[in-house]
Amino acid sequence: MEQYSFDQLPRAVSELHQKLDVLQDLILESRQAVPPAVELMTITQAAEFLNLSVQTLYGKVCHKEIPVSKKGKRLYFYKSELEDWIRSGKKKTLAELKQEFPAMVRTGKGKLR
C-alpha cells in the first residue's frame, strides 16, 4: 500500500472519488440489465394476491375468465398476467370519458344505437 504525503492527499482523494463513480455507474447498469424475475404463483398464492377465495378462482379458470397455465393437474399463474388482467377491467373516469368524447363523435363511435 502506497504512503501519501499531506500534499498528495487531494489528488489521491480525487482519484478515489473517480473510481467510486465508475463503480457506482457499473452497479447501476448491472441492475438495469437484469430482467425482472418471472413470478410464477400457485392457485393459493394467486387467490391471495387477487384477494379471492381459491374456490372463486377455480370458477374463473373453469369459465376461462382469467389467464392461467396448466401443467399436468396443476394450475399456475404469472403475476404479470394477473396484473394485466386486473388492468383490463379498469373503468374509465368521467374526466377520461369527457376527454375521449369529441374523438368518438368525429369517428362515429359515439353514436347511440
Side-chain angles (χ1 to χ4, degrees), residues 1-52:
M1 187 162 161
E2 185 178 341
Q3 295 289 327
Y4 294 100
S5 69
F6 184 77
D7 293 335
Q8 294 172 324
L9 280 178
R11 189 174 135 257
V13 169
S14 175
E15 288 176 7
L16 183 60
H17 190 271
Q18 289 174 350
K19 289 179 182 181
L20 283 174
D21 284 343
V22 169
L23 283 174
Q24 183 181 16
D25 290 342
L26 288 172
I27 290 170
L28 290 174
E29 285 176 17
S30 69
R31 284 184 186 168
Q32 293 172 353
V34 176
V38 174
E39 191 171 341
L40 199 58
M41 293 188 273
T42 64
I43 192 152
T44 306
Q45 292 168 325
E48 187 176 314
F49 174 72
L50 296 170
N51 199 24
L52 298 172

Side-chain angles (χ1 to χ4, degrees), residues 51-93:
N51 199 24
L52 298 172
S53 71
V54 171
Q55 187 174 358
T56 300
L57 194 51
Y58 271 121
K60 292 191 177 300
V61 167
C62 183
H63 292 100
K64 300 183 187 315
E65 296 175 6
I66 195 163
V68 64
S69 297
K70 186 174 180 182
K71 186 70 174 176
K73 294 182 179 182
R74 299 229 182 232
L75 298 176
Y76 297 98
F77 300 84
Y78 289 98
K79 185 175 181 181
S80 60
E81 289 181 350
L82 293 178
E83 290 170 338
D84 291 342
W85 176 74
I86 292 168
R87 277 188 215 97
S88 71
K90 180 184 179 290
K91 302 290 184 190
K92 293 184 180 183
T93 65

